[in-house]
Amino acid sequence: MTTLLDVAKKANVSKMTVSRVINHPDKVTDELKQVVYEAMRELDYHPNVIAKALANNSTRIVKLCILEDIDTTEPYYMNLMIGIAKILDLHQYSLQLVTRRDFDIGNCDGYIITGMRINDVEWIKKLKKPVILFGENRYGLDYVDTNNKAGTYLLSQLALKKGYEKLIYIGIDSKESFEYSREAGYLQQVQEKQMIPELHRFGNHSHMSEEFVENNWDNIPKNTAFICASDRLAIGIERGIIRCGGKIPEDFGVTGFDGVFLNQIASPKITTIKQSIIEMGSACEENLLDKIQNAAPQGSLVFEPKISLGGTLRN
């Protein structure tokens, strides 16, 4: 049977180096990992991860818990899982996808939780295993997210630079931290320019924002830009304007938030905040593994927003 020492000799490195590559690949250079992995492949060496996990009272399993209904229209959660899986693979962990209903089935070493609502805070705080949230929160729980406030602030600023004279915010009717922050970014820009804010909130469904435009078309002046809390709401606004005979972007501007898929299939394509979902998924897993290994709080990790230009604002 091939041993760790055999791999070390084949790769011309120390046994300790091989162990570090296997157990702590994040602390080893890519060049060194490549040399050791190649030796492992040539010798058909497979670390006994299960035995090690049992000895350390570990499962080598991380649960990704999605607490909201999964929308199959866009690959939002698929991108998140890809990012998580990239890091898990390096550390030889397995990923278990669970929902609220089957959350307690089976053991694990830690949790990544997304879609948390206010009613979930108490039971999440009582979990005995390490937790990282994907999504901003104001309850002291460690999380990874986009800078939501900065995103809508930048979009509002951009719309004004393009010459639109009125900004209307179309928000998600939700008492969640990310929505409060997106709304706050819009309000900050409007207040700085001493403009009168106008906000409307709906469920995150395009038909609701589309109906809003149709029902209020006579009261919406030209040279208005809509700052939307999601691409889904932005698509509804866009459809409503076009259905009523308005011209985008000449007379009306529209911006969204997410940039995962829907912004690309809209016509014209939506100017939006493109969230780095894959990278944020990897960051969630890196923080969780660090928390598992070191039992240390991670705090918040916030990604700065990036504007993805489409055709819904003037050039």
Side-chain angles (χ1 to χ4, degrees):
M1 181 180 294
T2 305
T3 66
L4 203 68
L5 183 58
D6 295 328
V7 175
K9 289 180 179 179
K10 181 71 174 179
N12 196 28
V13 297
S14 69
K15 184 177 177 181
M16 182 178 295
T17 297
V18 176
S19 178
R20 188 177 295 115
V21 169
I22 294 172
N23 297 307
H24 303 285
D26 55 313
K27 299 179 181 179
V28 182
T29 65
D30 291 338
E31 293 78 10
L32 190 54
K33 281 187 284 190
Q34 186 175 353
V35 170
V36 172
Y37 289 153
E38 182 61 31
M40 290 169 62
R41 282 193 293 268
E42 291 184 14
L43 296 174
D44 196 29
Y45 176 77
H46 302 281
N48 194 340
V49 177
I50 296 177
K52 179 183 175 182
L54 290 173
N56 294 333
N57 194 29
S58 168
T59 64
R60 310 297 294 186
I61 294 173
V62 166
K63 288 186 179 183
L64 169 60
C65 182
I66 301 176
L67 296 178
E68 58 187 346
D69 293 335
I70 299 177
D71 186 348
T72 57
T73 305
E74 52 186 332
Y76 188 91
Y77 287 116
M78 179 58 70
N79 288 341
L80 177 64
M81 286 188 283
I82 288 172
I84 294 171
K86 282 184 175 181
I87 304 304
L88 287 176
D89 185 54
L90 289 176
H91 294 267
Q92 296 178 303
Y93 268 77
S94 296
L95 177 64
Q96 182 181 353
L97 177 63
V98 298
T99 61
R100 187 186 302 272
R101 185 177 57 186
D102 55 4
F103 184 86
D104 292 326
I105 298 176
N107 201 359
C108 67
D109 291 348
Y111 304 93
I112 295 174
I113 299 177
T114 183
M116 184 192 76
R117 298 294 182 256
I118 294 176
N119 294 338
D120 298 313
V121 174
E122 289 305 316
W123 69 263
I124 289 176
K125 284 186 174 182
K126 293 178 182 178
L127 292 173
K128 297 180 180 180
K129 298 292 177 66
V131 176
I132 296 289
L133 295 185
F134 177 64
E136 178 181 347
N137 77 93
R138 302 177 184 184
Y139 309 106
L141 296 166
D142 298 336
Y143 72 87
V144 174
D145 202 354
T146 298
N147 190 331
N148 292 291
K149 180 179 179 180
T152 48
Y153 179 88
L154 290 174
L155 289 172
S156 300
Q157 184 181 63
L158 179 61
L160 292 176
K161 286 181 178 179
K162 297 296 184 180
Y164 298 100
E165 298 176 346
K166 181 180 179 63
L167 299 182
I168 296 178
Y169 182 77
I170 304 298
I172 300 171
D173 189 14
S174 170
K175 297 180 180 179
E176 304 307 325
S177 297
F178 78 90
E179 170 55 27
Y180 289 140
S181 293
R182 293 180 188 181
E183 186 174 302
Y186 159 82
L187 286 172
Q188 181 180 343
Q189 178 61 209
V190 167
Q191 290 167 358
E192 286 179 4
K193 299 300 181 180
Q194 297 183 330
M195 301 171 65
I196 299 174
E198 182 176 339
L199 300 90
H200 303 274
R201 304 176 187 88
F202 309 100
N204 194 22
H205 304 286
S206 60
H207 70 87
M208 291 185 174
S209 53
E210 181 177 356
E211 289 171 1
F212 165 78
V213 172
E214 294 175 348
N215 294 336
N216 295 276
W217 183 246
D218 293 338
N219 299 317
I220 301 173
K222 288 184 178 180
N223 221 19
T224 293
F226 293 85
I227 309 301
C228 303
S230 73
D231 290 345
R232 192 175 298 279
L233 289 173
I235 284 180
I237 294 293
E238 184 180 70
R239 289 174 179 166
I241 293 171
I242 293 172
R243 187 181 296 274
C244 291
K247 295 181 179 179
I248 301 173
E250 295 87 350
D251 295 333
F252 300 93
V254 183
T255 69
F257 205 114
D258 284 333
V260 178
F261 174 67
L262 292 178
N263 63 304
Q264 295 296 310
I265 63 171
S267 181
K269 293 181 180 179
I270 297 168
T271 293
T272 188
I273 291 296
K274 183 174 178 59
Q275 297 200 75
S276 304
I277 305 298
I278 294 177
E279 291 78 6
M280 288 195 288
S282 293
C284 283
E285 190 52 50
E286 288 173 345
N287 282 10
L288 180 62
L289 291 179
D290 192 39
K291 199 170 183 179
I292 290 171
Q293 294 166 6
N294 301 315
Q298 300 299 301
S300 60
L301 177 58
V302 178
F303 282 63
E304 289 309 306
K306 298 177 182 178
I307 295 178
S308 175
L309 296 174
T312 54
L313 290 182
R314 297 170 184 144
N315 292 327

